[in-house]
Amino acid sequence: MNLWIARLSGARDADAARVATLASEHGELLQQTRLASRQYVLFRSEDPAARIRQRFSLLPGIEAVHPIDTPYVLSSRGATRERTRVRISAGLVVGGAEFVVMAGPCAVESRKQTLATAEGVRASGARVLRGGCFKPRTSPFSFRGLGRTGLEILQHAGRDTGLPVISEAMDARHLEHVIGAVDIVQIGMRNALNYCLLEALGQHPSRPPVLLKRGIGTSLDELLCAADYVLAGGNPNLLLCLRGTLGARNQPSRASLNIADIPALRQRTHLPIIVDPSHVAGDRKLVPAICAAAVAAGADGLLIEVHRDPERALVDGPQSLTLPQFAGLMRQLRALASAVGRTMAPSAEQPPGIKGTDHAYDDLALERPPCEASHDPHETGVLGKAEV
Ligand code: PEP
Ligand code: MN
């Protein structure tokens, strides 16, 4: 049986009901969903394609009807011609011309730490403050976040700095607390395929913006099918986040990010794509290059871990940037973003410690090519030994 999608340009329920009735006459009606200003009717049918097209195209409100040949449907490029733009707050949209950087500590640890980091990242041009409060940890005896107290701290820091905030919900029981406190609900790598949680976010009446991370061993098809669970409930406010998958043994990074996945995802979906370089890297030295690659490859934004004192961080210190390092990175990313036709928010002011020089983050600055060709006979160049 072929899977079909009918798209209606208006949001009129009567039009969608007529399409749904016709869909049941032709086969099996699967879903009727409203996403932003459009309605979608999904159905299966064995009828000839020409007959389906002819019958449906006569109905009022129909914009398109076509078969779907991918496992994912509503997240596919076939579902809508436009790229989805997710409105996070007044003046902040993800998925448009602006390249959006979200930054902050892995975990909310205290009021002071969160506010200091929030002020620092805002000054450098971050647009969203991150901070985990319900932390998924490998060991139950590690610091697992401040929970509801953390959410309250994060909310205050967001309000004080004027930044929208993002935090993770690990379980449907967290949703009532997290949704009310944050501007974006993060679904982490460990819950990438938790369909009950995704469905609950899809069906939530407030349609909260959701950032869905790809699982460590999840294919792009599975990621997009998981996205369908949110969209099918009627919540169009979805961001996808690449944070690396399992890589080779003894690799130098925590996970492995295939840069080709960024353009590949853009071809497959209309949803905005965020890259989390911190959980790919596991090491702050690798973060800037991953960020640069993400901008160049067409991502819509980044989610970066930054801590005012990474040595003392309770979670993910080794991969967290210091505030001066983040400030320097943002300056480089701004130049790169403009080179690929994206805008980025300006930095509000020079954060303390960088005073117009690049020295404070020199240890992390993107490596520049050498000015002169190397005369070292042992150097093999980027193509390896065959080039010598
Ligand atoms: C995080 O963002 O801190 C986190 C736990 O991420 P992930 O789910 O990608 O591991
Ligand atoms: Mn983390």
Side-chain angles (χ1 to χ4, degrees):
M1 280 254 253
N2 292 324
L3 183 58
W4 285 80
I5 185 166
R7 187 171 73 226
L8 289 94
S9 53
R12 280 171 45 116
D13 290 334
D15 289 349
R18 224 172 276 127
V19 175
T21 306
L22 191 62
S24 345
E25 286 167 16
H26 279 269
E28 183 193 356
L29 172 67
L30 295 176
Q31 180 93 30
Q32 183 184 332
T33 305
R34 179 197 295 247
L35 281 173
S37 62
R38 290 207 164 75
Q39 302 237 29
Y40 293 87
V41 176
L42 303 183
F43 60 100
R44 289 191 200 281
S45 176
E46 272 174 2
D47 289 357
R51 190 170 138 75
I52 292 182
R53 286 186 206 282
Q54 186 214 0
R55 295 286 310 275
F56 280 81
S57 60
L58 296 174
L59 292 179
I62 279 281
E63 195 176 74
V65 57
H66 53 80
I68 294 279
D69 55 7
T70 51
Y72 45 91
V73 181
L74 293 169
S75 60
S76 75
R77 285 298 292 277
T80 166
R81 263 185 251 122
E82 301 102 42
R83 294 214 151 271
T84 288
R85 290 157 188 243
V86 177
R87 186 184 171 280
I88 307 298
S89 62
L92 181 60
V93 169
V94 182
E98 180 176 353
F99 186 84
V100 173
V101 176
M102 312 182 193
C106 176
V108 169
E109 298 165 6
S110 70
R111 234 169 251 287
K112 242 177 156 176
Q113 164 251 10
T114 307
L115 188 59
T117 309
E119 283 168 347
V121 298
R122 188 196 57 83
S124 300
R127 298 282 270 146
V128 177
L129 172 66
R130 68 151 286 154
C133 301
F134 295 103
K135 292 300 306 171
R137 302 305 304 278
T138 307
S139 164
F141 310 116
S142 303
F143 173 67
R144 291 163 67 187
L146 297 180
R148 291 174 68 180
T149 309
L151 285 173
E152 191 239 317
I153 293 173
L154 184 69
Q155 219 176 354
H156 271 102
R159 221 173 281 150
D160 287 356
T161 51
L163 292 176
V165 297
I166 176 170
S167 198
E168 177 166 354
M170 284 167 56
D171 186 280
R173 285 169 300 179
H174 295 158
L175 290 184
E176 60 172 311
H177 309 301
V178 176
I179 289 177
V182 306
D183 302 276
I184 308 174
V185 180
Q186 174 174 319
I187 297 301
M189 164 278 267
R190 293 158 180 86
N191 271 310
L193 303 178
N194 182 338
Y195 301 127
C196 292
L197 187 54
L198 296 172
E199 208 162 36
L201 281 160
Q203 292 170 357
H204 197 277
S206 69
R207 310 268 178 264
V210 175
L211 178 138
L212 170 61
K213 289 198 176 190
R214 179 184 185 178
I216 193 87
T218 304
S219 69
L220 290 186
D221 279 6
E222 286 168 327
L223 170 66
L224 293 169
C225 284
D228 271 356
Y229 273 87
V230 178
L231 300 175
N235 184 354
N237 302 314
L238 183 57
L239 314 171
L240 300 179
C241 180
L242 298 177
R243 47 83 71 220
T245 50
L246 279 177
R249 250 178 298 132
N250 300 327
Q251 66 184 2
S253 55
R254 184 168 165 178
S256 191
L257 176 71
N258 180 358
I259 289 301
D261 284 350
I262 300 171
L265 251 192
R266 278 189 82 85
Q267 280 168 15
R268 286 162 174 71
T269 184
H270 51 89
L271 296 169
I273 301 164
I274 305 298
V275 170
D276 170 347
S278 309
H279 292 86
V280 176
D283 171 351
R284 75 177 65 87
K285 289 200 189 71
L286 308 180
V287 168
I290 301 169
C291 292
V295 175
D300 296 294
L302 290 162
L303 179 67
I304 308 177
E305 286 185 343
V306 181
H307 198 284
R308 67 169 178 160
D309 186 1
E311 298 305 316
R312 287 174 207 260
L314 296 179
V315 195
D316 284 347
Q319 69 196 31
S320 301
L321 301 182
T322 63
L323 288 168
Q325 285 166 345
F326 179 69
L329 173 64
M330 288 293 275
R331 283 213 293 267
Q332 294 184 321
L333 293 182
R334 215 165 273 124
L336 283 169
S338 114
V340 294
R342 307 294 289 257
T343 59
M344 257 177 81
S347 56
E349 65 210 41
Q350 291 280 41
I354 63 164
K355 296 268 182 313
T357 81
D358 287 353
H359 299 312
Y361 67 98
D362 258 2
D363 56 330
L364 287 193
L366 290 168
E367 219 173 296
R368 292 181 184 87
C371 299
E372 290 173 357
S374 164
H375 296 296
D376 181 352
H378 301 297
E379 196 157 309
T380 53
V382 288
L383 294 180
K385 288 207 178 338
E387 211 190 11
V388 183

PDB file of all heavy atoms in Angstrom, residues 23 25 27 59 87 98 109 121 145 157 164 194 199 225 227 311 339 348 380 387:
ATOM      1  N   ALA A  23     -10.058  10.393   1.789  1.00  0.00           N
ATOM      2  CA  ALA A  23      -8.924   9.491   2.038  1.00  0.00           C
ATOM      3  C   ALA A  23      -9.420   8.141   2.536  1.00  0.00           C
ATOM      4  O   ALA A  23      -8.934   7.091   2.097  1.00  0.00           O
ATOM      5  CB  ALA A  23      -7.979  10.121   3.056  1.00  0.00           C
ATOM      6  N   GLU A  25     -12.236   6.816   1.872  1.00  0.00           N
ATOM      7  CA  GLU A  25     -12.902   6.121   0.750  1.00  0.00           C
ATOM      8  C   GLU A  25     -11.883   5.433  -0.160  1.00  0.00           C
ATOM      9  O   GLU A  25     -12.161   4.419  -0.773  1.00  0.00           O
ATOM     10  CB  GLU A  25     -13.730   7.112  -0.077  1.00  0.00           C
ATOM     11  CG  GLU A  25     -15.013   7.534   0.628  1.00  0.00           C
ATOM     12  CD  GLU A  25     -15.672   8.735  -0.047  1.00  0.00           C
ATOM     13  OE1 GLU A  25     -15.309   9.046  -1.203  1.00  0.00           O
ATOM     14  OE2 GLU A  25     -16.537   9.361   0.601  1.00  0.00           O
ATOM     15  N   GLY A  27      -8.822   4.343   0.849  1.00  0.00           N
ATOM     16  CA  GLY A  27      -7.923   3.421   1.564  1.00  0.00           C
ATOM     17  C   GLY A  27      -8.065   3.623   3.058  1.00  0.00           C
ATOM     18  O   GLY A  27      -9.171   3.702   3.589  1.00  0.00           O
ATOM     19  N   LEU A  59     -10.714  19.074  -4.621  1.00  0.00           N
ATOM     20  CA  LEU A  59     -11.277  19.502  -3.323  1.00  0.00           C
ATOM     21  C   LEU A  59     -10.799  20.910  -2.954  1.00  0.00           C
ATOM     22  O   LEU A  59      -9.657  21.280  -3.231  1.00  0.00           O
ATOM     23  CB  LEU A  59     -10.852  18.529  -2.223  1.00  0.00           C
ATOM     24  CG  LEU A  59     -11.456  17.124  -2.308  1.00  0.00           C
ATOM     25  CD1 LEU A  59     -10.937  16.263  -1.166  1.00  0.00           C
ATOM     26  CD2 LEU A  59     -12.973  17.195  -2.255  1.00  0.00           C
ATOM     27  N   ARG A  87       9.835  30.130  16.052  1.00  0.00           N
ATOM     28  CA  ARG A  87       9.905  31.359  16.844  1.00  0.00           C
ATOM     29  C   ARG A  87      10.131  30.978  18.294  1.00  0.00           C
ATOM     30  O   ARG A  87       9.340  30.229  18.873  1.00  0.00           O
ATOM     31  CB  ARG A  87       8.593  32.131  16.691  1.00  0.00           C
ATOM     32  CG  ARG A  87       8.611  33.476  17.355  1.00  0.00           C
ATOM     33  CD  ARG A  87       7.240  34.139  17.242  1.00  0.00           C
ATOM     34  NE  ARG A  87       7.185  35.330  18.065  1.00  0.00           N
ATOM     35  CZ  ARG A  87       6.986  35.326  19.382  1.00  0.00           C
ATOM     36  NH1 ARG A  87       6.819  34.190  20.035  1.00  0.00           N
ATOM     37  NH2 ARG A  87       6.966  36.462  20.059  1.00  0.00           N
ATOM     38  N   GLU A  98      19.263  34.287  10.357  1.00  0.00           N
ATOM     39  CA  GLU A  98      20.190  34.400  11.498  1.00  0.00           C
ATOM     40  C   GLU A  98      20.757  33.051  11.914  1.00  0.00           C
ATOM     41  O   GLU A  98      20.024  32.071  12.051  1.00  0.00           O
ATOM     42  CB  GLU A  98      19.472  35.052  12.701  1.00  0.00           C
ATOM     43  CG  GLU A  98      20.403  35.176  13.895  1.00  0.00           C
ATOM     44  CD  GLU A  98      19.805  35.904  15.094  1.00  0.00           C
ATOM     45  OE1 GLU A  98      18.690  36.454  15.003  1.00  0.00           O
ATOM     46  OE2 GLU A  98      20.487  35.906  16.143  1.00  0.00           O
ATOM     47  N   GLU A 109      24.477  24.813  38.285  1.00  0.00           N
ATOM     48  CA  GLU A 109      25.085  24.342  39.539  1.00  0.00           C
ATOM     49  C   GLU A 109      24.748  25.254  40.711  1.00  0.00           C
ATOM     50  O   GLU A 109      24.631  24.809  41.844  1.00  0.00           O
ATOM     51  CB  GLU A 109      26.608  24.275  39.381  1.00  0.00           C
ATOM     52  CG  GLU A 109      27.036  23.281  38.302  1.00  0.00           C
ATOM     53  CD  GLU A 109      28.489  23.468  37.887  1.00  0.00           C
ATOM     54  OE1 GLU A 109      29.207  24.284  38.500  1.00  0.00           O
ATOM     55  OE2 GLU A 109      28.908  22.793  36.925  1.00  0.00           O
ATOM     56  N   VAL A 121      27.988  34.947  28.191  1.00  0.00           N
ATOM     57  CA  VAL A 121      27.631  34.469  26.842  1.00  0.00           C
ATOM     58  C   VAL A 121      26.734  35.481  26.124  1.00  0.00           C
ATOM     59  O   VAL A 121      26.831  35.673  24.923  1.00  0.00           O
ATOM     60  CB  VAL A 121      27.000  33.041  26.838  1.00  0.00           C
ATOM     61  CG1 VAL A 121      27.985  32.017  27.372  1.00  0.00           C
ATOM     62  CG2 VAL A 121      25.670  32.981  27.563  1.00  0.00           C
ATOM     63  N   GLY A 145      21.998  17.071  38.657  1.00  0.00           N
ATOM     64  CA  GLY A 145      21.287  18.320  38.395  1.00  0.00           C
ATOM     65  C   GLY A 145      20.461  18.762  39.579  1.00  0.00           C
ATOM     66  O   GLY A 145      20.168  17.981  40.485  1.00  0.00           O
ATOM     67  N   ALA A 157      18.101  33.648  35.606  1.00  0.00           N
ATOM     68  CA  ALA A 157      19.269  34.097  34.834  1.00  0.00           C
ATOM     69  C   ALA A 157      18.825  34.530  33.446  1.00  0.00           C
ATOM     70  O   ALA A 157      19.326  35.512  32.892  1.00  0.00           O
ATOM     71  CB  ALA A 157      20.308  32.984  34.757  1.00  0.00           C
ATOM     72  N   PRO A 164      16.284  33.896  26.202  1.00  0.00           N
ATOM     73  CA  PRO A 164      15.448  32.709  26.345  1.00  0.00           C
ATOM     74  C   PRO A 164      16.315  31.539  26.819  1.00  0.00           C
ATOM     75  O   PRO A 164      17.539  31.567  26.633  1.00  0.00           O
ATOM     76  CB  PRO A 164      14.933  32.439  24.925  1.00  0.00           C
ATOM     77  CG  PRO A 164      15.437  33.515  24.060  1.00  0.00           C
ATOM     78  CD  PRO A 164      16.418  34.352  24.817  1.00  0.00           C
ATOM     79  N   ASN A 194      12.520   7.984  22.437  1.00  0.00           N
ATOM     80  CA  ASN A 194      11.490   7.771  23.465  1.00  0.00           C
ATOM     81  C   ASN A 194      10.168   8.317  22.910  1.00  0.00           C
ATOM     82  O   ASN A 194       9.819   9.487  23.071  1.00  0.00           O
ATOM     83  CB  ASN A 194      11.898   8.500  24.756  1.00  0.00           C
ATOM     84  CG  ASN A 194      10.904   8.278  25.875  1.00  0.00           C
ATOM     85  OD1 ASN A 194       9.742   7.938  25.644  1.00  0.00           O
ATOM     86  ND2 ASN A 194      11.355   8.478  27.094  1.00  0.00           N
ATOM     87  N   GLU A 199       5.769  12.102  21.768  1.00  0.00           N
ATOM     88  CA  GLU A 199       4.349  12.267  21.489  1.00  0.00           C
ATOM     89  C   GLU A 199       3.721  13.277  22.465  1.00  0.00           C
ATOM     90  O   GLU A 199       2.924  14.119  22.077  1.00  0.00           O
ATOM     91  CB  GLU A 199       3.660  10.906  21.635  1.00  0.00           C
ATOM     92  CG  GLU A 199       2.436  10.749  20.791  1.00  0.00           C
ATOM     93  CD  GLU A 199       2.065   9.279  20.642  1.00  0.00           C
ATOM     94  OE1 GLU A 199       2.235   8.507  21.610  1.00  0.00           O
ATOM     95  OE2 GLU A 199       1.603   8.912  19.561  1.00  0.00           O
ATOM     96  N   CYS A 225      12.062  10.125  11.684  1.00  0.00           N
ATOM     97  CA  CYS A 225      10.835   9.442  12.127  1.00  0.00           C
ATOM     98  C   CYS A 225      10.484   9.881  13.548  1.00  0.00           C
ATOM     99  O   CYS A 225       9.314  10.084  13.883  1.00  0.00           O
ATOM    100  CB  CYS A 225      11.000   7.920  12.078  1.00  0.00           C
ATOM    101  SG  CYS A 225      10.921   7.233  10.425  1.00  0.00           S
ATOM    102  N   ALA A 227      11.203  12.744  14.793  1.00  0.00           N
ATOM    103  CA  ALA A 227      10.669  14.105  14.626  1.00  0.00           C
ATOM    104  C   ALA A 227       9.189  14.045  14.246  1.00  0.00           C
ATOM    105  O   ALA A 227       8.385  14.866  14.696  1.00  0.00           O
ATOM    106  CB  ALA A 227      11.462  14.849  13.558  1.00  0.00           C
ATOM    107  N   GLU A 311      37.272  24.246  35.133  1.00  0.00           N
ATOM    108  CA  GLU A 311      38.014  23.311  35.992  1.00  0.00           C
ATOM    109  C   GLU A 311      37.157  22.845  37.161  1.00  0.00           C
ATOM    110  O   GLU A 311      37.356  21.764  37.698  1.00  0.00           O
ATOM    111  CB  GLU A 311      39.273  24.000  36.567  1.00  0.00           C
ATOM    112  CG  GLU A 311      40.278  24.460  35.512  1.00  0.00           C
ATOM    113  CD  GLU A 311      40.709  23.325  34.596  1.00  0.00           C
ATOM    114  OE1 GLU A 311      40.982  22.235  35.127  1.00  0.00           O
ATOM    115  OE2 GLU A 311      40.744  23.534  33.367  1.00  0.00           O
ATOM    116  N   ALA A 339      30.311  35.095   5.660  1.00  0.00           N
ATOM    117  CA  ALA A 339      30.842  34.562   4.402  1.00  0.00           C
ATOM    118  C   ALA A 339      29.862  33.590   3.740  1.00  0.00           C
ATOM    119  O   ALA A 339      29.901  33.408   2.531  1.00  0.00           O
ATOM    120  CB  ALA A 339      32.173  33.867   4.650  1.00  0.00           C
ATOM    121  N   ALA A 348      27.448  42.382  22.601  1.00  0.00           N
ATOM    122  CA  ALA A 348      26.951  43.595  23.242  1.00  0.00           C
ATOM    123  C   ALA A 348      28.106  44.458  23.714  1.00  0.00           C
ATOM    124  O   ALA A 348      28.045  45.665  23.706  1.00  0.00           O
ATOM    125  CB  ALA A 348      26.059  43.215  24.415  1.00  0.00           C
ATOM    126  N   THR A 380      53.888  15.386   4.745  1.00  0.00           N
ATOM    127  CA  THR A 380      53.223  14.671   3.655  1.00  0.00           C
ATOM    128  C   THR A 380      52.064  15.447   3.060  1.00  0.00           C
ATOM    129  O   THR A 380      51.527  15.057   2.035  1.00  0.00           O
ATOM    130  CB  THR A 380      52.699  13.317   4.152  1.00  0.00           C
ATOM    131  OG1 THR A 380      51.900  13.563   5.292  1.00  0.00           O
ATOM    132  CG2 THR A 380      53.836  12.380   4.491  1.00  0.00           C
ATOM    133  N   GLU A 387      51.552  11.940  -1.773  1.00  0.00           N
ATOM    134  CA  GLU A 387      51.782  13.245  -2.350  1.00  0.00           C
ATOM    135  C   GLU A 387      53.260  13.606  -2.414  1.00  0.00           C
ATOM    136  O   GLU A 387      53.662  14.469  -3.167  1.00  0.00           O
ATOM    137  CB  GLU A 387      51.046  14.266  -1.456  1.00  0.00           C
ATOM    138  CG  GLU A 387      50.537  15.457  -2.197  1.00  0.00           C
ATOM    139  CD  GLU A 387      50.060  16.511  -1.213  1.00  0.00           C
ATOM    140  OE1 GLU A 387      50.314  16.396  -0.017  1.00  0.00           O
ATOM    141  OE2 GLU A 387      49.440  17.452  -1.675  1.00  0.00           O
TER     142      GLU A 387
END
